[in-house]
């Protein structure tokens, strides 16, 4: 699993037109310094290679081209981005016809793209905890195809 600090990296959530018309914007950017964010984690669901051996000592490698996976974003509940993410999920929940996924991109501080995820959906609103101090929340996006550069 790759893990990136949101102080040095940004996550761009590109919203498809069918959702943006209801949501009000076509991009949400998370991260950068002073952004109340923690980290971004990227993980594929399957191993690329598996090996199977037998009692004779022979083996075979099996390749799996599954590129699906998850992107988890930790963000402090004080951030205005939490409100935007809640609204985004509510737009998806309220429509039975929206099927277009999001595109997520992770960029380093020089603007280089280090990860692209296509056809992503927000999994759910994370647990909302209200205490004396602001809490971190982990927002999960399930993705149809993740490419890490």
């Amino acid at each position: 699993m790759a893990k990136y600090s949101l102080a040095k990296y940004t996550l761009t959530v590109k919203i498809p037109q069918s959702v943006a018309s209801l949501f009000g914007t076509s991009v949400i950017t998370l991260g950068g310094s002073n952004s109340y964010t923690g980290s971004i984690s990227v993980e594929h669901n399957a191993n690329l290679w598996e090996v199977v051996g037998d009692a004779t000592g022979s083996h075979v490698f099996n390749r799996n081209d599954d590129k699906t996976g998850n992107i988890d974003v930790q963000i402090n509940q004080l951030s205005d981005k939490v409100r935007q993410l809640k609204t985004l999920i509510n737009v998806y929940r309220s429509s039975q016809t929206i099927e277009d996924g999001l595109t997520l991109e992770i960029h380093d501080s020089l603007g280089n793209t280090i990860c692209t995820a296509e056809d992503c959906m927000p999994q759910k609103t994370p647990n909302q905890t209200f205490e004396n101090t602001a809490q971190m929340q982990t927002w999960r996006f399930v993705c149809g195809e993740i490419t890490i550069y």
Side-chain angles (χ1 to χ4, degrees):
M1 174 183 352
K3 191 168 187 173
Y4 308 96
S5 166
L6 277 172
K8 296 180 181 174
Y9 295 88
T10 57
L11 173 71
T12 303
V13 179
K14 295 181 178 179
I15 301 166
Q17 185 57 43
S18 61
V19 179
S21 61
L22 298 170
F23 182 61
T25 187
S26 60
V27 175
I28 299 173
T29 302
L30 303 163
S33 60
N34 301 320
S35 60
Y36 296 109
T37 51
S39 64
I40 310 168
S41 297
V42 180
E43 181 176 37
H44 283 107
N45 289 331
N47 295 330
L48 176 61
W49 292 101
E50 297 281 342
V51 64
V52 177
D54 66 20
T56 67
S58 65
H59 66 275
V60 64
F61 287 99
N62 295 314
R63 181 182 170 118
N64 185 341
D65 287 328
D66 177 1
K67 295 180 182 178
T68 64
N70 302 310
I71 294 183
D72 294 334
V73 182
Q74 273 195 339
I75 185 168
N76 191 294
Q77 72 188 89
L78 288 178
S79 173
D80 183 55
K81 302 301 181 180
V82 168
R83 180 191 55 76
Q84 288 183 305
L85 291 170
K86 286 178 187 177
T87 302
L88 180 64
I89 285 186
N90 288 335
V91 167
Y92 272 100
R93 282 194 187 277
S94 66
S95 174
Q96 297 299 315
T97 59
I98 295 176
E99 296 178 355
D100 298 326
L102 307 165
T103 298
L104 279 59
E105 294 179 350
I106 302 173
H107 302 274
D108 65 15
S109 59
L110 299 175
N112 299 313
T113 302
I114 58 170
C115 178
T116 302
E118 300 286 337
D119 199 19
C120 302
M121 295 291 190
Q123 189 175 53
K124 66 177 184 174
T125 302
N127 184 26
Q128 301 295 296
T129 304
F130 304 98
E131 297 183 22
N132 292 340
T133 58
Q135 301 297 304
M136 294 299 282
Q137 299 179 351
T138 300
W139 291 79
R140 172 165 279 190
F141 295 89
V142 292
C143 303
E145 183 175 335
I146 296 176
T147 304
I148 301 173
Y149 305 103

